Amino acid sequence: MTATHTGLPGGVALSHLSVYDWPAADGVCGGTPHMHLACSEAYVVTGGRGAVQTLTASGYEVTPLEAGTVAWFTPGTIHRLVNEGDLRITVLMQNSGLPEAGDAVLTLPPEYLTDPETYTRATVIPADAPEGEQERVARARRDLAMEGFRALREAEGPHALSAFHRAAAALVRPRIAEWRERWRRGAEAAAAATGAQLDALERGESPHLADAVVRSEQPAAHGKFGMCGRLDVYEN
């Protein structure tokens, strides 16, 4: 029997995002700048308008976002969502939603990136806290990440960005085995199933067609405080 991957196509995951309308120190409304280390991410804009500010080794860019825009970026792209009016996005995430399950490092100032414990104290939002306290923590960590983001933008030469890359990689290193298992169950399994199906079809066989299934799902949680805004999330 040929295996079939029954998760979302390609082992991706998605969430619905309403970008924060909180003004930051620069007067711009939006989310928390951060970077993913092992995952690409895509934005499908479903309403409103805004932009995504990005910083890579190639420099700083601003990509406008409006309904119908699809924008995506690879690991290592520091990104900050800007809300210019009710910006709503469906986020597509590589590796079964790993970007919202650990593969993200906020652009905090260097003194907060020294070890996982220090970083966690500055970034964790207590799940059992009242909503008002969760919002206070989310805004505080956004503002702290903005300090680091501005410093990285203003730095001359690649040294500051390289130092952030090294610090981020050190922070996530203890979780790589966990991430690898998520990848094996998701993207790797999906690719392997396609390979097996192609092999069967090449032999003139099609056992996987008899195992076809249809699945649907509603969000498992609504309005969670995420890095970029309020999230409606699905089980990944």
Side-chain angles (χ1 to χ4, degrees), residues 13-36:
L14 62 84
S15 61
H16 301 302
L17 171 66
S18 296
V19 179
Y20 292 134
D21 58 2
W22 307 332
D26 59 357
V28 175
C29 298
T32 308
H34 62 281
M35 179 183 75
H36 306 300

Side-chain angles (χ1 to χ4, degrees), residues 193-219:
T194 298
Q197 291 162 7
L198 292 174
D199 290 344
L201 291 170
E202 193 170 44
R203 295 191 300 268
E205 303 169 357
S206 56
H208 61 284
L209 300 182
D211 298 326
V213 296
V214 178
R215 299 183 63 185
S216 66
E217 188 176 333
Q218 293 293 320

Side-chain angles (χ1 to χ4, degrees), residues 40-125:
S40 293
E41 194 169 70
Y43 295 152
V44 181
V45 184
T46 56
R49 58 188 177 83
V52 57
Q53 300 175 346
T54 56
L55 182 63
T56 67
S58 299
Y60 172 74
E61 295 184 44
V62 178
T63 302
L65 301 176
E66 61 181 15
T69 300
V70 178
W72 64 95
F73 42 85
T74 59
T77 303
I78 296 172
H79 49 289
R80 175 204 186 191
L81 275 171
V82 170
N83 187 353
E84 297 173 352
D86 194 27
L87 182 59
R88 287 167 284 119
I89 293 170
T90 293
V91 183
L92 303 178
M93 298 167 286
Q94 195 176 10
N95 297 318
S96 305
L98 184 56
E100 289 176 4
D103 181 15
V105 174
L106 279 56
T107 56
L108 304 186
E111 60 267 29
Y112 295 93
L113 305 175
T114 55
D115 60 83
E117 292 76 19
T118 300
Y119 177 82
T120 298
R121 284 196 298 270
T123 57
V124 68
I125 298 177

